[in-house]
């Protein structure tokens, strides 16, 4: 098979391959970029595999960075964009179920391709568009199938993260997982507990954003893989999420965790511990702690609760849509947001300095307490946000405290 018209992403990288070949080495486009081109999907990073060893690549180009030289990868910067060039290699055992104990550089493309995870990722292409498919990946693409290269149990034993990758590709592409590969998922599933949580989280996030995430999660439930994920989520919760994802999927990574935790049978005081088990970012944790309590009782949410998460309102509506909140409820929430007299405490027309200057309070806890009460009163429209009204109301609050 030959690609007659190469996408621009490959055309721009052609000089790299030509330069390597002019020195007597082989060089090919490999990996996800080739796969996505064949599937008519957007192309991202263009990777290159070569028979040249890392030091030979560094000698051929002027500007290089050792991005992963111990595994044979050098980034070449000579032609504007950086291109990662990796030497053909074979790999030894994976004692930690994550990285090979040893990497051996070889001169054979076939040896390099047969160590890859799935047939659709084991396709190479020459600089001129000739497709090299040694493991029938094209047939698997045509039949919409995720199939491991060689023995699936061996591939998953080498790196158990490939289990998550199989599910993720299935979710993104709508491909079925081949029977032998699916059986190996279940057999090697316990090894997921040996994989760094951060790596699992990245694949899981991509899975949930896939158009076919519901089908992929159903496979994970059927294979009993969910028991090996962090947090020990109840099967009933997984079934709820699977049903949600049939209708709609998160469109951005920032939506995933507020949505996900809003569907779990967790008490509010358990949210933070759960997020830590997945080693999420602080920003994700803040979003969860702000949005999930609102989603769980959106029918009775107060004006002040919505005011407190004003900056998260766009995220809130995305989550409400994902969980199937009635449109009328969402409209009521939007009306509350739109009607807020202020959106942040910095919008208040009075400050602690004003209270001090008018001898209403003295420095200390009382000042903060009075300012908070004023803020609440403005939000609830008990008073207007004008300096005179606020000062008068502050005096009343202090007098009431004395009495």
């Amino acid at each position: 098979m030959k690609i007659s018209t190469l996408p621009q992403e490959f055309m721009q990288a052609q000089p790299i391959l030509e330069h390597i070949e002019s020195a007597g080495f082989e060089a090919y486009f490999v990996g996800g970029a080739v796969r996505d081109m064949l599937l008519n999907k957007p192309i991202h990073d263009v990777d290159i595999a070569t028979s040249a060893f890392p030091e030979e690549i560094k000698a051929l180009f002027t500007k290089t960075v050792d991005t992963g030289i111990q595994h044979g990868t050098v980034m070449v910067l000579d032609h504007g964009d950086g291109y990662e060039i990796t030497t053909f290699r074979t790999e030894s055992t994976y004692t930690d179920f994550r990285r090979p104990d040893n990497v051996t550089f070889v001169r054979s493309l076939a040896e390099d391709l047969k160590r890859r995870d799935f047939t659709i990722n084991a396709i190479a292409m020459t600089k001129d568009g000739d497709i090299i498919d040694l493991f029938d990946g094209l047939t698997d693409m045509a039949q919409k199938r995720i199939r491991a290269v060689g023995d699936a149990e061996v591939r998953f034993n080498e790196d158990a993260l490939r289990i998550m990758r199989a599910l993720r590709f299935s979710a993104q592409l709508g491909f079925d997982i081949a029977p032998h590969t699916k059986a190996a998922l279940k057999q090697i599933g316990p090894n997921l507990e040996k994989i760094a949580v951060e790596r699992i989280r990245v694949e899981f996030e991509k899975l949930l954003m896939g158009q076919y995430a519901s089908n992929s999660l159903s496979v994970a439930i059927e294979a009993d893989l969910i028991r090996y994920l962090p947090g020990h989520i109840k099967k009933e919760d997984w079934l709820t999420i699977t049903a949600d994802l049939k209708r709609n999927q998160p469109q951005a990574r920032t939506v995933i965790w507020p949505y996900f935790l809003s569907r779990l049978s967790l008490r509010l005081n358990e949210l933070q511990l759960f997020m830590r088990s997945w080693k999420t970012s602080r920003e994700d944790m803040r979003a969860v702690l702000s949005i999930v309590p609102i989603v769980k009782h959106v029918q009775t949410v107060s004006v002040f609760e919505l005011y407190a998460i004003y900056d998260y309102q766009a995220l809130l509506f995305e989550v409400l849509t994902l969980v199937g909140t009635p449109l009328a409820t969402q409209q009521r929430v939007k009306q509350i947001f739109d009607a807020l007299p202020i959106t942040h405490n910095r919008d208040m027309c009075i400050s602690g300095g004003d209270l001090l200057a008018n001898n209403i309070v003295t420095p200390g806890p009382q000042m903060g307490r009075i300012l908070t009460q004023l803020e609440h009163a403005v939000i609830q429209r008990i008073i207007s946000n004008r300096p005179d009204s606020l000062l008068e109301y502050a005096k009343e609050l202090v007098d009431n405290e004395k009495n």
Side-chain angles (χ1 to χ4, degrees):
M1 178 181 179
K2 184 179 180 68
I3 306 300
S4 57
T5 304
L6 290 179
Q8 185 65 25
E9 291 87 348
F10 293 105
M11 296 288 287
Q12 291 173 344
Q14 276 182 329
I16 300 283
L17 277 71
E18 290 171 353
H19 190 57
I20 296 172
E21 290 178 349
S22 70
F25 301 106
E26 297 177 35
Y28 303 90
F29 296 116
V30 294
V34 176
R35 177 198 68 229
D36 291 339
M37 175 197 66
L38 293 169
L39 292 171
N40 294 314
K41 293 187 175 294
I43 296 168
H44 299 291
D45 296 333
V46 172
D47 293 327
I48 299 167
T50 180
S51 62
F53 287 6
E55 293 303 324
E56 293 169 330
I57 289 294
K58 293 174 69 173
L60 284 173
F61 295 95
T62 304
K63 302 175 183 177
T64 65
V65 179
D66 296 349
T67 53
I69 197 166
Q70 71 274 23
H71 294 109
T73 301
V74 175
M75 178 171 284
V76 170
L77 304 169
D78 287 41
H79 293 266
D81 293 334
Y83 294 98
E84 286 199 337
I85 302 177
T86 303
T87 301
F88 299 156
R89 72 192 194 201
T90 59
E91 297 170 346
S92 65
T93 55
Y94 288 63
T95 303
D96 65 357
F97 302 94
R98 177 180 179 184
R99 293 191 180 96
D101 297 330
N102 295 292
V103 168
T104 302
F105 302 140
V106 296
R107 302 291 190 184
S108 166
L109 173 65
E111 287 295 309
D112 183 77
L113 293 179
K114 77 178 186 180
R115 70 173 174 81
R116 296 177 182 266
D117 52 7
F118 307 111
T119 61
I120 61 173
N121 296 331
I123 299 172
M125 183 175 70
T126 68
K127 70 178 188 300
D128 299 318
D130 289 312
I131 296 296
I132 301 170
D133 179 21
L134 304 181
F135 301 98
D136 217 12
L138 293 174
T139 299
D140 288 329
M141 281 188 188
Q143 297 183 3
K144 296 187 175 183
R145 180 171 56 210
I146 304 293
R147 181 169 61 88
V149 174
D151 189 323
E153 289 188 16
V154 172
R155 294 286 84 77
F156 293 148
N157 254 320
E158 289 171 343
D159 184 356
L161 188 69
R162 289 170 173 167
I163 294 171
M164 295 300 298
R165 283 170 59 82
L167 295 170
R168 187 253 290 185
F169 284 127
S170 177
Q172 290 178 325
L173 302 175
F175 286 14
D176 292 328
I177 299 176
H180 182 263
T181 302
K182 186 184 291 186
L185 292 179
K186 185 171 185 177
Q187 182 69 25
I188 311 300
N191 284 0
L192 281 173
E193 294 184 324
K194 302 171 183 176
I195 299 297
V197 171
E198 295 91 339
R199 298 179 78 214
I200 291 177
R201 189 188 68 237
V202 170
E203 295 296 332
F204 181 68
E205 290 171 344
K206 292 177 180 178
L207 186 162
L208 288 191
M209 289 190 287
Q211 184 179 354
Y212 306 94
S214 179
N215 293 341
S216 188
L217 279 185
S218 295
V219 171
I221 293 170
E222 179 185 345
D224 202 24
L225 298 175
I226 54 177
R227 71 156 71 184
Y228 307 116
L229 298 180
H232 304 293
I233 303 163
K234 296 179 181 178
K235 185 176 180 179
E236 294 77 11
D237 292 342
W238 282 114
L239 294 175
T240 297
I241 291 164
T242 301
D244 286 344
L245 295 174
K246 286 182 180 179
R247 300 189 305 267
N248 205 353
Q249 303 82 39
Q251 297 301 300
R253 197 203 62 77
T254 52
V255 184
I256 291 171
W257 294 104
Y259 157 69
F260 189 64
L261 271 80
S262 71
R263 295 313 247 174
L264 302 186
S265 304
L266 295 175
R267 293 186 293 271
L268 297 181
N269 61 359
E270 297 174 323
L271 296 177
Q272 194 164 345
L273 183 62
F274 182 89
M275 293 289 283
R276 285 176 178 164
S277 74
W278 278 88
K279 297 189 177 180
T280 60
S281 68
R282 291 181 179 178
E283 178 51 40
D284 285 334
M285 191 173 293
R286 281 194 293 269
V288 163
L289 296 177
S290 298
I291 292 173
V292 171
I294 303 297
V295 175
K296 285 183 175 290
H297 75 281
V298 68
Q299 299 291 349
T300 57
V301 66
S302 71
V303 173
F304 194 79
E305 286 175 309
L306 292 178
Y307 164 78
I309 66 153
Y310 183 85
D311 290 340
Y312 286 105
Q313 64 174 300
L315 209 53
L316 172 64
F317 285 117
E318 290 184 70
V319 174
L320 292 176
T321 298
L322 284 169
V323 303
T325 302
L327 185 57
T329 301
Q330 294 192 48
Q331 289 175 336
R332 182 178 65 82
V333 171
K334 186 177 186 306
Q335 288 170 354
I336 294 174
F337 275 125
D338 291 344
L340 287 172
I342 59 173
T343 57
H344 299 89
N345 58 10
R346 61 176 176 267
D347 298 331
M348 292 285 290
C349 290
I350 199 173
S351 67
D354 296 320
L355 296 179
L356 293 173
N358 284 272
N359 298 316
I360 297 175
V361 299
T362 56
Q366 184 188 43
M367 183 171 68
R369 188 168 60 250
I370 296 299
L371 285 172
T372 298
Q373 289 177 293
L374 291 173
E375 186 180 2
H376 278 246
V378 169
I379 293 163
Q380 295 169 337
R381 296 186 179 278
I382 296 173
I383 56 172
S384 60
N385 186 30
R386 298 199 322 267
D388 55 340
S389 298
L390 292 167
L391 289 173
E392 183 178 349
Y393 193 69
K395 292 175 183 177
E396 293 179 16
L397 292 173
V398 171
D399 289 341
N400 288 338
E401 284 189 357
K402 293 177 180 177
N403 298 328

